[in-house]
Amino acid sequence: AAPLPAGTLVLECRPLLFALNGRHCDACLSPISRPLRCSKCKTRMYCSRSCQAKHWTEEGHKAECASLAALPQPPTPSLRMVAELVMMLQGEDRERVREGTEKPVGSAVDDLVANLDLHSAQQRVQFGEMAHLVRQIVEARGGTAPPTEAVVQLFAKFSCNAFTVVDPEFKPIGAGLYPDASSFNHSCVPNCVASFRGRKLQIRTIRDVPPGTELTIAYTDSSVCSAERQSFLQESYCFSCTCALCREPLKSHFDALVGDPSAPPPPEPVLSLLQGLSSGAAA
């Protein structure tokens, strides 16, 4: 078999769940400086009346608005998405194949890793507190409030599998759950990169990939020192990375390259190699 050339599109998919952070239109994703808020729930924001009308009738805000308005404060994007996921799992969507997954929704969610026991005690407490709000939203929408433990598991799965959605300048604008893309493992020296075209996620190779080589993406910024990378990965994804850049001797040499004062300076041949790795990981 031939290697995959750099730039090859290896996956393209839409999200199963998606939420913006409030600085972009919930319908068209355009950045907004003077947003039009939903007058009832105060949660959704729009760039125009036409986008507001479209989101109400075509994209599901009509079904969720009253339940969001009943909460004491606007819910976070992750809380809104987990509540929507509970409604999917209770309805006909559980057995349907929807955008964002090649499997029925129920099977796709069951396959996601939760690692609940590896989350910190503080995170588990936060999941429990948010689970109570999700139960309120579900009941307000006419659903059956699931056990708190089941919702906590969904929050843990969302924490470990959600993607930060970025704009063309790689600035975060929201979050999405893309089950088909969750199978890509992490490497600090990845051979693929994830990018977005609106809500659509695309994963492309960033270098030629030999046959049989695992396709990987970076879950964190590969241009920072190993201590920062490991801290983020452990807190957010509950694992420690053991890729070549996280093991000696490259670990200390790369840390010196990115400005860690505790790391010894790398020899010139190693410096050239690491600069190439760094530019490839940041592509």
Side-chain angles (χ1 to χ4, degrees), residues 148-170:
T148 298
E149 295 77 10
V151 183
V152 167
Q153 282 282 344
L154 291 180
F155 271 111
K157 290 187 175 191
F158 183 84
S159 176
C160 287
N161 293 278
F163 280 75
T164 298
V165 179
V166 296
D167 65 13
E169 298 179 351
F170 282 85

Side-chain angles (χ1 to χ4, degrees), residues 25-244:
C25 176
D26 274 297
C28 71
L29 275 64
S30 297
I32 43 178
S33 57
R34 297 174 62 87
L36 296 171
R37 288 182 179 269
C38 174
S39 60
K40 187 170 185 178
C41 71
K42 313 295 184 185
T43 298
R44 300 297 195 173
M45 299 183 185
Y46 308 98
C47 64
S48 65
R49 294 295 181 190
S50 59
C51 274
Q52 184 174 10
K54 177 183 178 182
H55 197 246
W56 178 265
T57 57
E58 298 178 21
E59 299 182 21
H61 185 51
K62 182 178 181 179
E64 68 174 1
C65 184
S67 61
L68 298 179
L71 296 176
Q73 60 186 22
T76 62
S78 60
L79 196 151
R80 296 202 310 265
M81 283 189 279
V82 171
E84 183 63 32
L85 184 56
V86 170
M87 296 300 297
M88 286 184 186
L89 295 175
Q90 290 188 357
E92 295 179 355
D93 279 338
R94 181 177 183 86
E95 303 304 325
R96 288 179 179 169
V97 176
R98 288 182 44 136
E99 288 185 331
T101 175
E102 295 180 348
K103 302 177 181 179
V105 171
S107 297
V109 173
D110 288 343
D111 289 345
L112 296 177
V113 173
N115 288 330
L116 181 59
D117 57 331
L118 299 180
H119 285 79
S120 68
Q122 181 181 4
Q123 286 175 309
R124 294 196 296 271
V125 169
Q126 291 174 341
F127 292 159
E129 292 171 348
M130 292 190 293
H132 290 298
L133 294 175
V134 167
R135 286 163 52 85
Q136 291 179 31
I137 294 174
V138 170
E139 288 183 331
R141 292 182 60 175
T144 301
T148 298
E149 295 77 10
V151 183
V152 167
Q153 282 282 344
L154 291 180
F155 271 111
K157 290 187 175 191
F158 183 84
S159 176
C160 287
N161 293 278
F163 280 75
T164 298
V165 179
V166 296
D167 65 13
E169 298 179 351
F170 282 85
K171 295 177 181 178
I173 64 171
L177 189 62
Y178 298 80
D180 288 348
S182 294
S183 60
F184 281 76
N185 286 325
H186 163 82
S187 173
C188 297
V189 192
N191 50 30
C192 296
V193 65
S195 60
F196 295 87
R197 295 177 64 87
R199 291 174 170 82
K200 189 179 295 183
L201 169 67
Q202 295 183 332
I203 296 180
R204 294 179 181 274
T205 55
I206 55 176
R207 58 175 59 88
D208 292 350
V209 181
T213 303
E214 180 183 14
L215 299 178
T216 58
I217 58 176
Y219 294 1
T220 184
D221 184 354
S222 295
S223 65
V224 300
C225 69
S226 58
E228 290 185 50
R229 298 197 310 271
Q230 295 289 4
S231 176
F232 176 83
L233 292 171
Q234 188 62 54
E235 180 178 344
S236 301
Y237 298 99
C238 305
F239 73 87
S240 297
C241 183
T242 58
C243 75

